[in-house]
Amino acid sequence: MKDITRRKFCAAALAGGVAAGAGKAFGAALPATFSEAAQPQQEATRQPGPTTGKRPTIISAHNGLRHLDAGMAVLRSTGDTMDAVLAVVTPVEDDPNDNSVGYGGLPNEDGVVQLDACVMHGPTRRCGAVGAIERIKNPAKVARVIMERTNHTFIVGRGATQFAIDQGFEPMNLLTDKSRLAWLAWKASSSKDWRPGLDAPDFNKQLAELLDTPERQAWAPWIKQVVAHPPTGTINCLAVNDKGEMSGVTTTSGLAWKISGRVGDSCIIGAGLFLDQDVGGAGSTGRGEEDIKIAGGHTVVEMMRKGMSPSDACLEALHRVVHNYDFDKSRLKMFDLQFYALNKDGAYGAASLWSSSGNGQPLTYAVHDGTEAKSVPFTPLFQGTGGDY
Ligand code: GLY
């Protein structure tokens, strides 16, 4: 990176505390430049995670909050960290009302739900991943089977579905009535061929016609939202037991209305998830393409290996995304991305590119540090709301 580029980037983007963390990552060569340049432009409200942790601890994306108690119960009984993270994400995959993961996840442009997931197991230093799998609602469990029963690490597409069926997974239709109707509304919004013909008497009423019961009518605001702003959703979960053993998982239905066969970061070891038993683990939610370009999960773990706190390590990964756009906020504003990190001592942290969701509420993630499951705000890099490009 040229010196001038780095100065411009830091001046505009970084908070003082953030810059202090980033200084460690970019080396001691330019610490003065970082702090001097960053002072006038602070944006992020610094909310560092704890520097010393507790064990056992589990962290996840916000949609795992209700299930952290189940994960903690596993850690307390058998201590198996892989069972614990799956105890958190499996009910989210099973939930028809979570439209970003598993059953009920929003489909691709062909109306087919394609799921991505991966797992990493610290003690045995193994991993498994599955991409664009269809008709199987628990891709995280399939990723575990790939890890435990095959000599491969990553199976995709038709082969992945057939593999899962051969291993005893039950195939099913992953579209719910709600996700099917949302897809039809998206088709109608994107192609005139999927709207009533010009000769139809009720030409302008296609959405109203689809939503023909009170229950379906209640879905209309949500359908309009996901048609206009295709979500990426996802759940990442990381766990450490009382001995310091770790596991991680990330699972998703990916970007709504994607091109068939598109896989995001959630099944990419090193992007949507990375874990090194010597250091800790990290995962991601949000726009997978940006995460893949910086190998985000791996970046976060390597920053922790160099001594960064989990929060600072997550911010460092976000700095790299910002750098990829040369700090062009008009484009950065069009997406969001979050990183989660847990080290082997139980210290945790998470950072988001933007601070708040569409309704202006602070973005949060979920933590259980042995006492209770709670929501914790991300450390944001920028104040404001990112889009769903
Ligand atoms: N992070 C989920 C995806 O981009 O597919």
Side-chain angles (χ1 to χ4, degrees), residues 17-18 20-22 24 46 48 303 308-317 319:
V18 175
K24 285 182 216 154
R46 194 147 172 71
M303 292 304 109
M308 273 193 185
S309 72
S311 303
D312 281 349
C314 292
L315 285 165
E316 168 63 19
H319 298 163

Side-chain angles (χ1 to χ4, degrees), residues 147-346:
M147 177 180 80
E148 292 182 343
R149 296 190 206 157
T150 80
N151 197 24
H152 300 332
T153 56
F154 197 1
I155 304 179
V156 303
R158 254 188 319 182
T161 304
Q162 189 56 51
F163 170 82
I165 293 168
D166 293 345
Q167 292 289 338
F169 288 82
E170 199 69 43
M172 61 181 282
N173 179 8
L174 298 180
L175 275 181
T176 58
D177 199 30
K178 193 175 173 184
S179 59
R180 183 181 61 80
L181 290 174
W183 172 69
L184 283 176
W186 173 78
K187 289 293 273 188
S189 76
S190 56
S191 165
K192 66 175 175 45
D193 295 338
W194 285 76
R195 296 173 214 154
L198 279 176
D199 50 358
D202 46 4
F203 174 64
N204 285 318
K205 293 186 183 159
Q206 67 270 17
L207 183 57
E209 267 181 15
L210 284 175
L211 306 177
D212 57 357
T213 65
E215 189 197 14
R216 287 177 166 191
Q217 280 160 17
W219 298 339
W222 171 78
I223 288 180
K224 283 182 180 156
Q225 166 73 18
V226 297
V227 166
H229 304 287
T232 41
T234 309
I235 179 167
N236 163 248
C237 182
L238 304 160
V240 61
N241 67 15
D242 58 355
K243 291 189 277 187
E245 294 169 342
M246 298 193 71
S247 286
V249 60
T250 303
T251 176
T252 192
S253 54
L255 180 65
W257 332 132
K258 61 195 172 186
I259 297 171
S260 179
R262 176 267 190 192
V263 293
D265 58 333
S266 302
C267 57
I268 307 292
I269 297 291
L273 179 68
F274 191 70
L275 193 145
D276 183 329
Q277 183 56 51
D278 295 339
V279 179
S284 173
T285 57
R287 185 170 157 76
E289 282 73 7
E290 305 309 330
D291 181 25
I292 289 171
K293 286 188 280 185
I294 60 148
H298 186 260
T299 294
V300 173
V301 171
E302 292 311 305
M303 292 304 109
M304 291 198 291
R305 194 192 306 277
K306 286 174 186 281
M308 273 193 185
S309 72
S311 303
D312 281 349
C314 292
L315 285 165
E316 168 63 19
L318 290 172
H319 298 163
R320 295 181 185 201
V321 174
V322 170
H323 178 62
N324 279 348
Y325 284 89
D326 197 22
F327 186 56
D328 178 354
K329 267 197 170 175
S330 64
R331 286 188 292 162
L332 291 166
K333 190 83 179 150
M334 293 172 78
F335 63 89
D336 208 349
L337 184 62
Q338 299 85 31
F339 287 107
Y340 311 78
L342 174 68
N343 73 20
K344 69 180 168 62
D345 299 324

